[in-house]
Amino acid sequence: MPLLADDAPALPLDAQGILELAARSMFQLFSSVSQGMFLVDRSGRIVWVNEGYQRFLPDLGFSSVDQFVGRTVEEVIPNTQMRRVLETGQPVLIDLLTNKAGTFVVSRIPLRDDADRVIGAIGIVLFDHPETTLQPLISKFALLQRDLDDARRELASQRRRSLAVAGDGERRSKYTFASFIGSSPAAAEVKRQARRAAQSSSPVLLLGETGTGKELLAHAIHAASSRASGPFVSVNIAAVPDTLLEAEFFGVAPGAYTGADRKGRDGKFKLADGGTLFLDEIGDMPQSLQAKLLRALQEGEIEPLGSNKLVPFNVRILAATSRDLAALVREGKFREDLFYRLHVLPVRVPPLRVRRSDIPALVEALGEDLALRNGTAPPELLPDAMALLAGQPWRGNIRELRNVLEQAVMRSDSQSIDAAQLERILREAGVEPAAPAPVQDPGHAADTEDESRYLRPLAEQVAELERKAIAAALKAHGGNKLATARQLGISRATLYGRLENPE
C-alpha cells in the first residue's frame, strides 16, 4: 500500500540540512555509478578509496590498499592533476587521464569547510576504457574533425589557386595581412603600420632581421592597396649577379648585344607597370646600379639596355633589407639620396624573440601547412617542447622555427614531439638550446594578479585608461594632436575636450 502524504519522508526544513542531504546523496550516487573514487587531504595524501577504485591498484603497482593510502597522490597516480585542484580550488569536471592503469574520463572536485577553505579533494573515475564506452561520442567528434580538416585543406587549396600566378601569366600577391600570424603587441603594431602604409602610394622600406616575414608583409601591403588588381613583381637583389642586375631591372632592347633575344626582354619595372615592385635585400645593391635606380625613381622612366628610348612606368616601390642601411650610408656603401628616397614609410618588422607569445600560433599554422603539403596529420607538440621553443633566441626567426619544426616532423615516428627531439635537432645545427621559457596557464594567471586595483568605480577606471592612452599617443607622435586623434580613432574636438577637462 502506497505511503500517505503524512507518512512520506520529509525534506529537511533548513537550508543547511538540505545541502547536507544533497551532498550525501550525490556522494552515494557517484560512489555507486562511477568506476571508482578516492579522497585526498589538503596536503595531497590519499585518505580513502572506495571498492570500485581498488581494482585499479594492481595496474598502478600496488598489491593492497594499505600500500596506496597515506601516500601523496603524485606518487601513486601518474599524470594526475589533483594537486592543481588543491592549489586553485577550481574543479575539473571532465578530463582524460592516461597512466599505467589505462585511459579514463575523470572528474576532480575540491572539498571545502564552513569557512570556504579547501581541505581536500575527491577524484572520480567516470568511465574507464573510453575508447569503447564512449565510442559513439568519439566517432561523432572524429567525423567532425575530419570534416573540419577537409574544409581547411580545401580553403587552403582555393587560396593558393586564387593568389597564385593567374592563367594569363599575370603576377599576383600570395599573402594578406591575415597571413602574418600573431596577436602579440609587437605583431599587432607592425600590422597596424603596414595597413597604414598600404593606403599610401609612397615607397615603403621594410626593415628587420632575416626570416621575420618582410616579404610576406610586402605581399600583404600590395593586396590591401589601391594597386591590388595590378601585378606584384619581386626581385631578390642578393640572388642576382651584379652583371645581370641592370638587365633584370630595366630590360634589354632587341639585339642589344651578342646572344641577346631578338625580341628583347622586359625588365622588372616594365613587368610591374601599374602595380608594385618589391626590391628584396636592397642593402646588397651594388653602388654602380644605385645611381640608375635613383634616377628611374625620380624621373618615372627607364632606358632598356641597348636602347635610346626612354620608357615611362607607373610603379609603387616596396623595399626590404636585413642590413643597417643608415650604417651603410655612413660608411659610404649606400647612396644617401637613394636612402632618403626609399626611407619614406619605414616599417620595422620585429624579431621572433620579442614576440614569443606568438610562437604557439605560429607552430600551429606551420604544422598545418606541413601536414597539408605532406598529406599527414598536424604534429602535436607536448608542453615541454612548446616551452623549449618559446625560450630560444631564434636568430633565423620564423624561417629557423619552420626548419626545426619540419625536421622534427620528418624524424618523429609519432605525431607527438617532445623537448628532447627538438634539443637534438638544435644541437645538430650547432645551436646550444636555451632554457625553456616558463609556461603560465592563462586561466591561472588571473589568480596571481593583484585584483585590488580593480575594486573601484568603473567610470574612474575608464577615465584613468583614457588619460594613459592619450598621453602615450601624444608621446609617440611628438605632441602632434592630429596624428594622436587619428590613432585613437577620435575627432580632434574630442581630443581637445579630453585635454582641457581630464577629469
Side-chain angles (χ1 to χ4, degrees):
M1 180 176 180
L3 291 171
L4 297 176
D6 292 341
D7 299 329
L11 284 171
L13 298 180
D14 61 301
Q16 185 61 32
I18 293 175
L19 289 175
E20 291 176 355
L21 175 62
R24 187 166 59 251
S25 299
M26 291 294 292
F27 185 88
Q28 292 171 349
L29 174 64
F30 277 119
S31 184
S32 61
V33 303
S34 70
Q35 302 300 312
M37 292 173 57
F38 66 91
L39 292 176
V40 298
D41 62 15
R42 182 68 184 88
S43 66
R45 295 191 177 277
I46 304 285
V47 297
W48 172 83
V49 295
N50 73 347
E51 186 175 350
Y53 198 91
Q54 293 178 24
R55 65 191 177 94
F56 303 126
L57 299 187
D59 291 329
L60 293 173
F62 301 96
S63 58
S64 67
V65 177
D66 294 337
Q67 294 177 330
F68 190 77
V69 173
R71 302 179 68 171
T72 60
V73 66
E74 293 88 356
E75 289 183 274
V76 295
I77 306 177
N79 302 327
T80 181
Q81 297 295 315
M82 189 65 79
R83 180 71 60 181
R84 181 176 173 183
V85 174
L86 293 171
E87 292 175 351
T88 65
Q90 298 298 315
V92 179
L93 299 181
I94 297 291
D95 194 15
L96 278 178
L97 172 68
T98 300
N99 54 37
K100 294 181 291 185
T103 299
F104 311 95
V105 179
V106 300
S107 287
R108 308 179 187 100
I109 302 172
L111 301 175
R112 300 178 181 273
D113 61 12
D114 293 339
D116 203 35
R117 295 172 300 189
V118 176
I119 57 175
I122 180 170
I124 306 171
V125 179
L126 299 174
F127 301 100
D128 58 351
H129 304 296
E131 65 276 8
T132 56
T133 56
L134 298 180
Q135 185 57 44
L137 187 61
I138 292 175
S139 297
K140 182 177 180 179
F141 277 98
L143 181 61
L144 290 173
Q145 184 63 49
R146 285 196 298 271
D147 290 343
L148 179 59
D149 290 341
D150 291 343
R152 284 175 172 170
R153 292 189 180 93
E154 178 61 25
L155 285 172
S157 178
Q158 289 180 6
R159 182 175 175 278
R160 284 200 302 271
R161 290 196 297 268
S162 63
L163 295 178
V165 175
D168 58 359
E170 191 174 359
R171 301 161 187 257
R172 300 290 183 183
S173 58
K174 299 179 181 179
Y175 307 104
T176 66
F177 285 116
S179 307
F180 192 89
I181 306 297
S183 57
S184 65
E189 175 61 16
V190 73
K191 283 192 280 189
R192 184 193 68 80
Q193 293 180 15
R195 285 193 180 96
R196 187 172 180 181
Q199 305 310 310
S200 169
S201 59
S202 299
V204 177
L205 182 59
L206 297 161
L207 303 166
E209 299 174 8
T210 179
T212 52
K214 299 187 293 296
E215 183 174 358
L216 186 152
L217 280 176
H219 281 264
I221 290 172
H222 171 75
S225 73
S226 58
R227 295 174 175 263
S229 58
F232 178 87
V233 179
S234 65
V235 54
N236 188 323
I237 295 171
V240 181
D242 292 356
T243 54
L244 300 180
L245 267 176
E246 187 172 354
E248 188 77 9
F249 275 116
F250 307 127
V252 180
Y257 51 83
T258 303
D261 193 330
R262 292 184 179 180
K263 295 182 180 179
R265 180 173 179 270
D266 290 335
K268 292 296 192 288
F269 273 91
K270 182 64 175 177
L271 293 174
D273 193 42
T276 300
L277 176 60
F278 175 51
L279 307 177
D280 198 8
E281 299 299 345
I282 188 71
D284 293 333
M285 175 173 282
Q287 289 182 287
S288 59
L289 188 60
Q290 291 176 23
K292 294 182 178 180
L293 175 61
L294 176 63
R295 183 185 181 283
L297 297 181
Q298 289 176 336
E299 303 298 332
E301 55 190 18
I302 58 174
E303 184 177 339
L305 286 178
S307 173
N308 293 322
K309 294 182 178 180
L310 294 175
V311 180
F313 66 86
N314 175 19
V315 167
R316 199 263 178 99
I317 297 294
L318 305 180
T321 181
S322 57
R323 305 182 66 180
D324 187 344
L325 276 191
L328 293 177
V329 170
R330 291 192 296 271
E331 296 168 6
K333 297 178 180 179
F334 198 87
R335 291 183 63 102
E336 186 174 12
D337 43 9
L338 178 58
F339 172 76
Y340 290 122
R341 190 76 185 181
L342 298 172
H343 197 267
V344 178
L345 291 174
V347 176
R348 296 192 175 275
V349 187
L352 189 53
R353 60 181 171 274
V354 303
R355 41 182 294 231
R356 298 181 190 274
S357 61
D358 293 332
I359 288 180
L362 285 165
V363 168
E364 181 179 6
L366 293 173
E368 289 185 354
D369 183 62
L370 291 173
L372 190 64
R373 291 173 182 270
N374 299 324
T376 60
E380 176 186 351
L381 266 71
L382 300 180
D384 63 341
M386 194 67 76
L388 181 70
L389 293 181
Q392 303 313 302
W394 298 118
R395 292 175 300 175
N397 295 290
I398 299 172
R399 188 176 291 120
E400 183 185 4
L401 173 63
R402 180 188 178 91
N403 176 266
V404 170
L405 187 62
E406 188 167 9
Q407 287 193 60
V409 171
M410 294 298 100
R411 296 184 185 189
S412 179
D413 294 328
S414 67
Q415 190 177 344
S416 299
I417 297 173
D418 59 21
Q421 294 171 276
L422 298 178
E423 287 179 349
R424 286 195 298 271
I425 293 171
L426 289 170
R427 287 195 174 96
E428 289 174 8
V431 177
E432 183 59 30
V439 178
Q440 186 177 43
D441 178 22
H444 183 58
D447 297 336
T448 61
E449 186 180 2
D450 179 14
E451 297 180 347
S452 60
R453 66 179 184 274
Y454 297 121
L455 303 179
R456 296 178 290 143
L458 185 59
E460 179 182 331
Q461 297 183 54
V462 171
E464 179 183 353
L465 181 60
E466 273 191 356
R467 289 194 297 272
K468 290 181 178 179
I470 291 173
L474 282 170
K475 182 178 179 181
H477 294 288
N480 187 315
K481 295 183 176 60
L482 176 59
T484 296
R486 285 178 176 172
Q487 181 171 23
L488 297 175
I490 59 178
S491 67
R492 276 185 292 177
T494 301
L495 176 61
Y496 292 146
R498 293 288 192 274
L499 294 174
E500 293 172 0
N501 300 291
E503 298 300 325

